[in-house]
Amino acid sequence: MKINITEDAKDYLLKKDIDGKHIFLALDDGSSKFSKLGGSCAIGNKFQLVISSVPDQAYTDTIENDADLNLTTGKEEVNYLGNGLKLDYKMGLLKLSDDSSILDGAVTVQNYEPTDAQTKDELAKDMKDIGNKIC
């Protein structure tokens, strides 16, 4: 799998202290351990970039990129990603697209360290609170 990361997107990401870190392209629809969103309106059309100092066993599929980032994704995410992947940054937003269309016009970026893990109850409460605001 390969993605074109535009210069604008690369410049934006470099400001996020990504040097030498692992970056996971993860779903943000409630199906990944990094996601706080949930609900039918978000399934398969919300993504996030998760920055971590350690690899994650669920995100081992390498995404070749022209920005020389250590970018990987997971098996679930691959189902939603097509040919011609592109990450761009315009008007303050990261946009993920492929040959078919825009996949997410507002990709979020978050830092994650294993010590930040929430309990399942805390995550469920956060998902419900945010879900009530977006769906």
Side-chain angles (χ1 to χ4, degrees):
M1 180 175 302
K2 188 173 184 176
I3 190 169
N4 174 30
I5 300 175
T6 67
E7 283 299 316
D8 289 338
K10 182 179 177 182
D11 291 344
Y12 173 77
L13 291 173
L14 288 174
K15 295 174 188 171
K16 299 288 184 182
D17 188 31
I18 60 170
D19 193 36
K21 294 193 177 168
H22 300 270
I23 304 171
F24 314 124
L25 176 60
L27 285 164
D28 194 12
D29 61 3
S31 65
S32 83
K33 68 181 177 183
F34 304 116
S35 178
K36 292 183 179 179
L37 296 180
S40 60
C41 66
I43 295 174
N45 73 351
K46 289 294 301 158
F47 289 86
Q48 61 185 324
L49 293 174
V50 179
I51 302 167
S52 178
S53 61
V54 296
D56 189 290
Q57 294 303 316
Y59 293 85
T60 57
D61 291 5
T62 300
I63 302 176
E64 294 178 43
N65 63 86
D66 47 1
D68 206 28
L69 302 177
N70 185 5
L71 182 62
T72 58
T73 194
K75 302 282 185 235
E76 294 296 320
E77 287 75 5
V78 170
N79 294 322
Y80 299 98
L81 304 172
N83 291 321
L85 282 174
K86 180 179 177 182
L87 186 67
D88 197 5
Y89 182 77
K90 291 197 186 287
M91 297 177 19
L93 298 170
L94 282 172
K95 177 179 77 171
L96 179 66
S97 61
D98 65 13
D99 288 343
S100 68
S101 66
I102 295 172
L103 301 174
D104 187 349
V107 176
T108 58
V109 179
Q110 73 163 320
N111 290 302
Y112 171 81
E113 295 303 326
T115 56
D116 292 341
Q118 291 180 303
T119 67
K120 287 184 180 182
D121 290 340
E122 290 171 332
L123 184 57
K125 181 186 178 306
D126 285 350
M127 287 174 68
K128 182 178 178 186
D129 291 344
I130 293 170
N132 287 338
K133 296 173 186 170
I134 64 163
C135 291

